[in-house]
Amino acid sequence: MHPAIPPELLAAFPKDFVWGVATSAFQIEGAATEDGKGPSIWDHFCRLPGAIADNSHGDVACDHVHRWQQDLDLIASLGVDAYRFSMSWPRVRPTGAGAFNEAGLDFYDKIVDGLLARGIKPYLTLNHWDLPQALQEKGGWAHRDTVFRFVEYAQAVAARLGDRVAAITTHNEPWVMATLGHESGVFAPGLKDRAMAMQVSHHLLLSHGLALQALRAQACKARLGIVLNLSPVGPATDSPADQAAARLEDGRLVRWYMDPLLKGTYPQDVLDHLGADAPQMQADDLRDINTPMDFLGINYYSRAVVSALGSWDNKTSGLALTDMGWEVYPDGLTELLLRMRSDWSMPPLYIMENGAAFRDKVQDGKVHDAARTDYIARHVSAVAQALQQGVGVQGYMVWSLLDNFEWASGYEKRFGIVHVDYATQQRTLKDSALWYRDFLGRQRVRPAAQAPQAAEV
Ligand code: IFM
């Protein structure tokens, strides 16, 4: 039985709504040292003892570099409009500075042309976390020079692919790179220094704004934006201490990124909280960060509940949990989208990632992942509810096309709607992929501006 999305909700999606699937380079590509690719901070981090739950790495991953044609056929078979993928910066410019690697650029050229030949719009992300290790050794994102190396990389990519990709995203989830990479240290480069993390966040934002200016100056045709990981943040209880803690967390996760991008200011309460750990900036930085975007991408997985005591046990909420231990909370997506519209002057929005890890079993060549299908259907409904209330969402991408390298969790967590057997590299469409394919097929034949007659089952 497929989850039903009520017809009146399905009718909320405009005919030109962009439906897609998403991946990122380090998580699927493999070929870590082939054709001139340089090492990234994740290649390095994976070698640190205890960094990755299953001691794995991205050397082979889904072997996408060798299987890209088969993977593009798979994407086409789902009937999606768009494929969101990232480029590996060290595959394209191995040390992050100096010569570009033609073989790396050629690889992405083939991906883009292969997508277009299959009628799929390429949505390109420049930085999904895999900074060239050589730049890290010069200070990485904490060093202002990295901003300008990123702009050069963006310019080279746009010169090569900007005429054919639908959209270019500068960064994926700057909060993750800054906070998990430089404050808690659980992600590459594995550093634990709050002041550095805030400086990194500032440089990521600045490089985004300067890259947009540079790409517009070279008349790049693609739409330009950034992707943030956002959640509604609420207090665990009504106590003043929990409410204050939640407000601060909202400041650090949401307003720290939204305010500079859309208003040209950092939130004062967070600056006050940071004190001497606030980032160093130059006179025009905030103006540059505030460069207008063509779209804002949002990655949504769950809500955040904050307790002044430090941690909150989400098993007490009664909500279902995914294999990541994250609550399944689709209402949070509607809530978040409505808040975006009320608190900021928004460009068009895209849900650039949404999905869930569950423990899947292959049985007789099938994967009955009902929980994932249900998760996706409920979040699609949540987007529809925001659309019905007038929020300008233009697309939705499932994370992820394939099971892949889930960062510090290694290969133990599976987010794919397509199962990957890592021993044989065999791909198997899970029930969630079949549901998504059938759902998209029905969406396409739905008459414009008219609700379907029957519930979608
Ligand atoms: O796998 C990641 C992805 O790389 C970035 N967003 C969250 C996903 C699930 O953790």
Side-chain angles (χ1 to χ4, degrees), residues 154-155 157-159 161-168 211-224 294:
Q155 287 173 305
V157 170
L161 305 174
D163 58 333
R164 282 163 290 148
V165 296
I168 297 180
L212 257 55
Q213 292 173 14
L215 299 198
R216 294 219 171 98
Q218 68 189 64
C220 177
K221 288 195 208 144
R223 295 172 82 203
L224 307 175
D294 298 319

Side-chain angles (χ1 to χ4, degrees), residues 159 266 283 360 439 456:
Y266 279 119
D360 301 314
F439 165 75
E456 184 255 342

Side-chain angles (χ1 to χ4, degrees), residues 74 77-78 365 367 417-419 427-431 433-434 437:
L74 192 62
S77 79
L78 297 175
V367 181
I417 57 173
V418 176
H419 182 273
R427 276 75 162 135
T428 303
L429 270 65
K430 302 180 191 177
D431 285 358
L434 302 174
R437 182 193 68 191

